[in-house]
Amino acid sequence: MKLFPNISTSGLFRLTHKTQPAGLALLLATAVLAPFPASAQEAPLLWDSTKFFQYNIHSAAFDSVSRTVTVVFSVTNPQAAQTPYNIRSGTPPFRAPATLRVNVGWNAGTWGTAELVNTGSNPGTTAMNNVIRNWMNSTPPNPGGIGPAYPNVVNALTAANPCTAAGSPCAGVANAALTFWVRNVLPLQAAGAGRVAIEGHPSIQTGIDAVGAPVFGSVPVKSVYKDYAITAGSVARRQVVDFNKCKVCHDGGQHGDVIVPRLSLHGANRNEEPGLCVMCHNPNQTDAAYRSSGAEESIDLKRMVHGIHAGGFRKSPLVIVGFRGALLDFSTVRFPSELRNCVTCHIDKNGKGTFELPLASKLGSTVVSASSLNPLPGWVDVNPANDLRISPIAATCSACHDSSEIKQHMISKGASFGAVQSVLEGKEQCVTCHGPGQEHSVRSAHQIGSIDR
């Protein structure tokens, strides 16, 4: 069996399966050159190889005494009866530049929402609950920007313990030597329900460049997540979209005059799973981590995704500052389908859709996090009580409907475009006219049929 059929195994490579799980004849192309140099380059994404990898979260449990979350997980090969990989072997495909991380997120039990806001993730050292942000001062810029509401991240390639290790929480698990666990401490603010997720990519050498340095390809394995309870009776964050619908467009194929890529983001680490995306792209998050000037932009998923899909139709361009200060301008994006048809992405069951009012989330999207972007080094404020927000319905709808006239209409009906959560909550009156059954309901205004999808 050849594991990676799209990779040449000519004289540049030798074939080995010695470091792989017993009973699994994995013919893995690995470089003769070792160790790989820091200048190693990334090759295109190896989508054809994703079928050989699956991330699995076996359990996620919170201990209220130690305030730790314990995650038991594995990476297996679906093409070989789910035989597990040894992710701690230090060999390909789980050797740098490969990545594998366990993300730990949580709710804060505030404002009646189940959003994964990660309050307290960066407590800082000052009374204002700030963290110093000096990454822009380094040359080249340090990629480790600190956001207002990031989840905790555990490097599984260096911190994971096999289930055979002392203190293992996974007694009786199958393939214990190749099943792993990590623990992470939650801050005191954590309450309600939390979520853990696995992200990352195996890396496989595909050749060498002109100066003899190895070139690696990243395998964009589908991310996975699992919810856990911090407080008894808590409600997990809702599911809003069906990713199988998203894949109708995001399939790497031609749609009209544009090729729509498959969803592999942030260096092939976060792949094809919105349930992971919402852990960082939550209502408290902006692009302050990477911005050196100008007004912050919300990266709350409900606002950002609508804004991206409507990029070519908005009155004002959507520009987000990303990793290493990259400017991401979405003003040329053209949605390859009927933009107003919410059920293209949203879940819609028996005539009730997740796009309808009132929204499940009561938390507005932060647009001013009280962070100081200049002079450098600046700081990022991670106290959500300081945030100025757009109220939740307006934050969603104005991401597409961004004209000044519509904004004034929203304000006249109770929307806020820059208020703290404690002030804006409950003020929007949109449901009166745009709620289900009303003349100008979202379903009616968007001309959505009642077909069960």
Side-chain angles (χ1 to χ4, degrees), residues 59-71 104 106 184-188 190-194 196 227-232:
S59 64
F62 175 70
D63 180 85
S64 60
V65 176
S66 62
R67 296 198 63 79
T68 59
V69 178
T70 301
V71 185
V104 182
W106 58 90
N184 188 255
V185 180
L186 295 190
L188 294 177
V196 298
D227 294 315
Y228 65 93
I230 303 170
T231 306

Side-chain angles (χ1 to χ4, degrees), residues 34-310:
F36 82 92
S39 61
Q41 300 177 10
E42 285 285 343
L45 301 183
L46 304 178
W47 285 105
D48 288 346
S49 296
T50 58
K51 62 186 177 183
F52 298 104
F53 298 91
Q54 178 176 308
Y55 298 153
N56 312 285
I57 301 176
H58 302 290
S59 64
F62 175 70
D63 180 85
S64 60
V65 176
S66 62
R67 296 198 63 79
T68 59
V69 178
T70 301
V71 185
V72 179
F73 67 98
S74 63
V75 182
T76 56
N77 183 351
Q79 300 298 308
Q82 298 295 354
T83 303
Y85 291 92
N86 183 2
I87 65 170
R88 293 298 307 275
S89 67
T91 60
F94 293 102
R95 187 189 75 173
T99 59
L100 190 68
R101 305 184 186 102
V102 177
N103 294 349
V104 182
W106 58 90
N107 183 244
T110 54
W111 296 309
T113 179
E115 300 285 356
L116 299 161
V117 292
N118 310 319
T119 304
S121 59
N122 294 303
T125 57
T126 72
M128 288 294 290
N129 200 26
N130 303 326
V131 290
I132 299 300
R133 170 194 165 281
N134 58 12
W135 71 277
M136 282 276 195
N137 279 352
S138 61
T139 303
N142 182 338
I146 299 174
Y150 281 171
N152 290 344
V153 179
V154 181
N155 185 341
L157 296 183
T158 59
N161 304 287
C163 281
T164 52
S168 169
C170 38
V173 69
N175 295 308
L178 297 175
T179 303
F180 299 87
W181 58 276
V182 297
R183 284 200 176 107
N184 188 255
V185 180
L186 295 190
L188 294 177
Q189 295 96 324
R195 176 170 293 179
V196 298
I198 297 179
E199 59 156 283
H201 61 82
S203 289
I204 303 162
Q205 186 177 341
T206 59
I208 58 174
D209 65 14
V211 296
V215 175
F216 289 86
S218 298
V219 184
V221 181
K222 178 179 172 62
S223 303
V224 296
Y225 73 89
K226 190 177 187 65
D227 294 315
Y228 65 93
I230 303 170
T231 306
S234 58
V235 177
R237 191 196 187 278
R238 69 207 179 282
Q239 183 181 358
V240 177
V241 300
D242 178 352
F243 188 70
N244 288 323
K245 293 183 175 184
C246 303
K247 289 199 311 186
V248 172
C249 290
H250 284 282
D251 61 355
Q254 185 88 24
H255 295 266
D257 59 354
V258 66
I259 294 177
V260 182
R262 292 182 67 171
L263 282 177
S264 179
L265 302 164
H266 304 287
N269 287 310
R270 294 143 208 178
N271 307 305
E272 301 194 326
E273 181 47 78
L276 165 70
C277 302
V278 297
M279 294 177 69
C280 286
H281 290 274
N282 60 62
N284 292 354
Q285 199 75 279
T286 76
D287 63 357
Y290 305 113
R291 180 177 287 276
S292 60
S293 63
E296 295 172 70
E297 185 66 52
S298 168
I299 59 170
D300 182 8
L301 204 66
K302 68 175 179 284
R303 181 167 176 80
M304 185 184 75
V305 169
H306 285 99
I308 291 173
H309 283 169

Side-chain angles (χ1 to χ4, degrees), residues 317-406:
L318 174 62
V319 180
I320 296 171
V321 178
F323 189 69
R324 294 190 185 277
L327 288 177
L328 308 174
D329 186 343
F330 298 101
S331 60
T332 61
V333 173
R334 296 292 189 274
F335 193 63
S337 184
E338 177 59 61
L339 182 60
R340 66 185 172 187
N341 187 5
C342 306
V343 299
T344 301
C345 302
H346 279 264
I347 294 171
D348 185 33
K349 292 292 185 181
N350 301 317
K352 182 176 177 59
T354 56
F355 53 87
E356 296 189 86
L357 303 183
L359 295 181
S361 175
K362 300 178 182 179
L363 196 55
S365 299
T366 295
V367 288
V368 179
S369 65
S371 300
S372 172
L373 305 180
N374 272 311
L376 295 175
W379 47 261
V380 172
D381 187 289
V382 296
N383 182 358
N386 296 333
D387 293 1
L388 300 183
R389 305 172 185 266
I390 304 177
S391 47
I393 298 175
T396 305
C397 298
S398 68
C400 294
H401 304 286
D402 68 332
S403 70
S404 57
E405 295 83 3
I406 294 179

